[in-house]
Amino acid sequence: MTTTSTERTARQFLSAVAEARQAARGFMGSLMPSVGADHADTVVLVVSELVTNALRHGGGTYTLHLTAHPDTIEVAVDDSSPRMPRMRTPDLVHGTGGFGWHMVNDLARATVVTPRPEGGKTVRALLPR
């Protein structure tokens, strides 16, 4: 029974991340003027990382907000944890992560983490359009 529960949780986790990526691709595809494939792929990658972090470290739920500005795409992910993201040393031996937050900060023009009045936080990344 525990194995079934764990497998179901893993599938739900992967499904949530896949849905977020699909939503980001749809959003990027709807923009006029259109956005280059490289920029769209970068946005999808950042969405994937921020949603994964929200699910893994932020309480298990998230809300994704995508906004197009004249020169940037804003990716914002709300989660229920007040804990701020932190840089970790990437784990090259055991594969426990540590790459995502570094990557998001490298790809984004800016990242901002804002505590929410009702609890939790919003993690924002501004990406080139």
Side-chain angles (χ1 to χ4, degrees):
M1 183 183 271
T2 302
T3 303
T4 303
S5 176
T6 301
E7 287 174 3
R8 185 177 306 127
T9 300
R11 277 194 296 265
Q12 290 170 346
F13 182 94
L14 293 174
S15 177
V17 175
E19 288 173 16
R21 285 183 191 151
Q22 184 177 19
R25 284 222 180 272
F27 175 79
M28 296 303 290
S30 72
L31 295 178
M32 291 297 194
S34 63
V35 175
D38 287 346
H39 289 295
D41 288 345
T42 300
V43 169
V44 171
L45 179 60
V46 168
V47 164
S48 181
E49 287 300 324
L50 293 182
V51 167
T52 297
N53 286 348
L55 292 169
R56 186 174 288 161
H57 307 292
T61 61
Y62 73 93
T63 304
L64 172 64
H65 306 274
L66 298 165
T67 308
H69 300 284
D71 294 330
T72 59
I73 301 296
E74 179 180 347
V75 176
V77 176
D78 301 335
D79 68 45
S80 60
S81 173
R83 287 186 44 203
M84 297 292 131
R86 63 181 176 87
M87 295 290 186
R88 294 179 20 208
T89 301
D91 182 354
L92 300 173
V93 176
H94 302 290
T96 61
F99 296 93
W101 189 235
H102 287 281
M103 183 174 53
V104 168
N105 281 279
D106 287 345
L107 292 171
R109 287 184 177 167
T111 56
V112 178
V113 182
T114 309
R116 296 184 316 141
E118 64 276 13
K121 65 184 170 296
T122 301
V123 180
R124 285 185 179 77
L126 294 176
L127 301 157
R129 184 168 174 166

